[in-house]
Amino acid sequence: MIIYSPLLFLFGSTVPIVRAAFNPLQHSGSASPYFDAPTPPGIRSDTPAGCVVDQAAYFVRHGSRYPEPSSFTGWQNLFWKIQNATFIAHGPLSFLPSWVLPVDNVDHEPLFLSSTGAREAFDLGVELRKRYAFTAGGENFTAWSAGEQRVVDTTTYFLRGYLSDGNYLSDPSLNRGHLVVLPDSLTAEQSINLFNGTFADSLTPSASCSPYAIFSNNGSVASSTFRATYQNQTAARINTFLQGDLAFNATDIGVIQDLCGFGFEISGDRRFCDIFTDDEWLDYEYADDLNYYYGSGPGNPLSATTGYPWVKAIADLFEVGPYHTVANGTLVPPPLIMGFSHDNNLPPLISALKLWNDTVPSLTQRDTNPLRQFRSGHLVAFRGYLALERLSCTASQSSNESGVFHQAGILGGTIISMNQTRTAPANSSFPIPQLYVRVRADYAPVPIPSCSSGPGRTCPLAQFMEMVNGPLATAAGDFMEVCGLENLTGPGVSGISGNGSSVKFLTTKGDGTEILLELN
């Protein structure tokens, strides 16, 4: 539905203002299929004029998936509750008597990627190939993945989208994806006996930080506290559409709302989305926000500790620039650095960058500010991501005062004053580019509050490096020390990294298991 709102202008004319209809699939938090987050007011989402992105790094959640086994049990319980009842349903519940579970192969579907997730990943590959134009036709490309199968599959489909170009299928030397699968980080107890205690050198670093895990439980407590403020009332309202011995309770409401996002991304079924009011969806969304804010985001005091190593690694690569590696590095990553992981590993990056932490969300009353910053669906929706871009910018001059001189046979040009002669200018050259950093969350730019003086409210690279190596490092602390791992001994402690507090997989050859991805 599209809503038209008339606006009165001078001379009595009216022009309709078109506002998008409320879409529950964009208010379903981590159960939402991917969508671009809205751009904040006063800023453009495109690259600022006079700038080009010469390096970018993405940390991506896996694509849409089937439910986890524990969640699927809740779906099954709901199904049998409906089937074992005698009732009349009407209105938005009239489909319930014929509703079937959107899972038709229990052995192969729960926990794994859905077709929507495969398409989301493929589409991201196509999108970034066009957005940055970093990779020429025929060139191979490397991406990194955490070890879970749904993450590996997402990375695989991304690579196929990124490289599905030209007629290279029959030539195994051209346009091939190299997928580096990193072992998931182990707990301290596991690392004593095993050999892959990668700790921070991982795309799942929080798994090995036991103090972080203790605080992460606060997320589910916070969300449960808030759900108790609305779920019983919601159940009472939708039960008015039932007659007979079927009645839903607060527990059922959580399962039914989950089935909006999951039902749509698995089978295209939106009927569960239509059961609830807009306010009920905003409550559902806010409960998910609390789960991530207090569980893995700024509300977890060790969140920044687990997110900082990746931020630091990317900052160091941005400092040396594309097609270079850090001091003592043995691997030069591509200018587009892609890492794929899980939802809970994204909020720590926000925490490490000191973003979205200006307001502590209430546990008992929904924040109704439409511009509030921390929204889980704008970061951890399926295939959600946080990206850092390095921008190379040249100060633009008025088009009436300057032009670009091109000499025949020489690629490129030189900015000149329009008052200069049309022959080759003497001793002139392009202005020295200035470097900046931009953060994106699900495509929307996210200005760094204390560092936004550049074009499009970007952060000057030099200032960004000062932040990363100064106050952000201090706030995060040393990973091994803060997580209580500094005195740990055993065969798996050094793992593949040698330094458990640093991300080295982006600059160290052999850090992870490389798989050649066959496009055919």
Side-chain angles (χ1 to χ4, degrees):
M1 179 177 63
I2 297 178
I3 300 172
Y4 293 91
S5 176
L7 182 64
L8 183 63
F9 282 93
L10 295 177
F11 311 113
S13 62
T14 59
V15 176
I17 296 176
V18 181
R19 294 179 295 175
F22 185 91
N23 184 357
L25 293 170
Q26 295 186 3
H27 296 277
S28 295
S30 59
S32 298
Y34 179 79
F35 64 96
D36 285 345
T39 299
I43 188 171
R44 292 174 58 94
S45 60
D46 54 354
T47 301
C51 301
V52 295
V53 176
D54 64 9
Q55 198 170 14
Y58 280 68
F59 197 109
V60 189
R61 184 193 181 189
H62 59 75
S64 293
R65 59 162 171 78
Y66 285 88
E68 293 184 347
S70 58
S71 298
F72 183 53
T73 298
W75 294 16
Q76 291 174 308
N77 292 340
L78 178 70
F79 173 77
W80 290 115
K81 180 174 184 174
I82 295 170
Q83 289 302 310
N84 291 331
T86 300
F87 62 94
I88 297 173
H90 60 95
L93 302 186
S94 59
F95 72 95
L96 288 180
S98 59
W99 172 69
V100 295
L101 290 167
V103 174
D104 51 26
N105 191 325
V106 177
D107 293 334
H108 294 278
E109 292 172 346
L111 194 62
F112 298 109
L113 211 63
S114 67
S115 58
T116 298
R119 183 182 64 190
E120 288 168 338
F122 189 96
D123 288 348
L124 181 63
V126 174
E127 177 185 334
L128 298 191
R129 179 73 174 254
K130 293 178 178 179
R131 180 181 301 170
Y132 298 121
F134 285 156
T135 306
E139 289 185 0
N140 298 332
F141 184 79
T142 298
W144 286 262
S145 170
E148 287 280 352
Q149 188 63 48
R150 60 188 179 276
V151 185
V152 174
D153 290 348
T154 299
T155 315
T156 298
Y157 284 109
F158 167 83
L159 287 168
R160 286 179 170 152
Y162 193 80
L163 297 170
S164 292
D165 179 79
N167 66 338
Y168 305 109
L169 287 176
S170 61
D171 190 337
S173 67
L174 299 177
N175 228 45
R176 284 303 186 268
H178 294 260
L179 193 162
V180 179
V181 180
L182 301 170
D184 288 338
S185 192
L186 301 177
T187 65
E189 293 75 15
Q190 292 170 326
S191 299
I192 291 174
N193 300 309
L194 300 175
F195 289 92
N196 64 339
T198 54
F199 305 112
D201 191 30
S202 164
L203 285 164
T204 56
S206 59
S208 62
C209 188
S210 56
Y212 166 94
I214 294 172
F215 285 109
S216 69
N217 293 329
N218 293 337
S220 59
V221 172
S223 59
S224 295
T225 299
F226 180 72
R227 288 188 182 105
T229 68
Y230 75 90
Q231 284 186 330
N232 283 319
Q233 296 92 315
T234 301
R237 186 189 67 80
I238 70 170
N239 283 337
T240 62
F241 297 104
L242 296 170
Q243 294 175 305
D245 60 3
L246 177 64
F248 294 122
N249 56 36
T251 299
D252 297 326
I253 294 303
V255 177
I256 295 171
Q257 288 194 292
D258 285 347
L259 279 162
C260 169
F262 277 98
F264 177 79
E265 59 95 354
I266 291 173
S267 61
D269 186 355
R270 288 189 60 125
R271 292 175 295 181
F272 285 99
C273 304
D274 298 331
I275 292 175
F276 302 97
T277 67
D278 293 358
D279 272 342
E280 288 166 348
W281 280 117
L282 292 175
D283 285 340
Y284 174 80
E285 176 187 41
Y286 188 70
D288 207 54
D289 296 346
L290 293 174
N291 180 43
Y292 284 95
Y293 183 90
Y294 288 104
S296 55
N300 183 327
L302 272 73
S303 177
T305 301
T306 63
Y308 176 80
W310 183 86
V311 171
K312 166 65 172 169
I314 299 305
D316 288 344
L317 287 169
F318 279 11
E319 187 174 36
V320 298
Y323 305 106
H324 293 87
T325 193
V326 300
N328 301 317
T330 59
L331 172 71
V332 178
L336 177 59
I337 302 164
M338 300 299 303
F340 293 81
S341 186
H342 301 273
D343 51 348
N344 285 323
N345 294 284
L346 277 160
L349 306 182
I350 290 289
S351 301
L353 289 164
K354 297 297 181 186
L355 302 174
W356 293 357
N357 63 351
D358 59 336
T359 302
V360 177
S362 167
L363 304 188
T364 57
Q365 186 173 2
R366 168 164 49 92
D367 185 346
T368 58
N369 179 5
L371 298 180
R372 62 185 171 86
Q373 293 181 325
F374 194 96
R375 288 183 184 268
S376 56
H378 296 175
L379 179 67
V380 298
F382 286 122
R383 209 215 69 185
Y385 62 79
L386 184 125
L388 297 176
E389 295 177 329
R390 193 183 100 140
L391 284 72
S392 177
C393 304
T394 303
S396 61
Q397 303 178 43
S398 170
S399 59
N400 294 326
E401 299 174 358
S402 65
V404 179
F405 173 82
H406 174 262
Q407 185 170 340
I410 299 177
L411 182 64
T414 305
I415 295 178
I416 62 170
S417 168
M418 292 303 291
N419 295 324
Q420 286 181 253
T421 176
R422 296 302 193 267
T423 60
N427 300 321
S428 64
S429 61
F430 282 113
I432 298 174
Q434 302 298 306
L435 302 176
Y436 301 90
V437 174
R438 166 175 271 188
V439 181
R440 290 185 186 270
D442 290 1
Y443 188 66
V446 182
I448 300 174
S450 60
C451 185
S452 57
S453 62
R457 297 179 64 187
T458 55
C459 177
L461 177 61
Q463 188 177 349
F464 182 74
M465 296 306 303
E466 291 176 359
M467 289 177 53
V468 170
N469 294 320
L472 298 187
T474 301
D478 180 82
F479 183 91
M480 297 294 282
E481 180 180 345
V482 174
C483 295
L485 303 167
E486 69 273 27
N487 297 320
L488 191 66
T489 60
V493 172
S494 61
I496 57 177
S497 64
N499 177 359
S501 292
S502 301
V503 164
K504 294 190 175 181
F505 62 81
L506 294 171
T507 56
T508 304
K509 289 183 178 179
D511 208 354
T513 302
E514 184 169 323
I515 299 173
L516 178 64
L517 177 64
E518 294 290 344
L519 294 181
N520 54 356

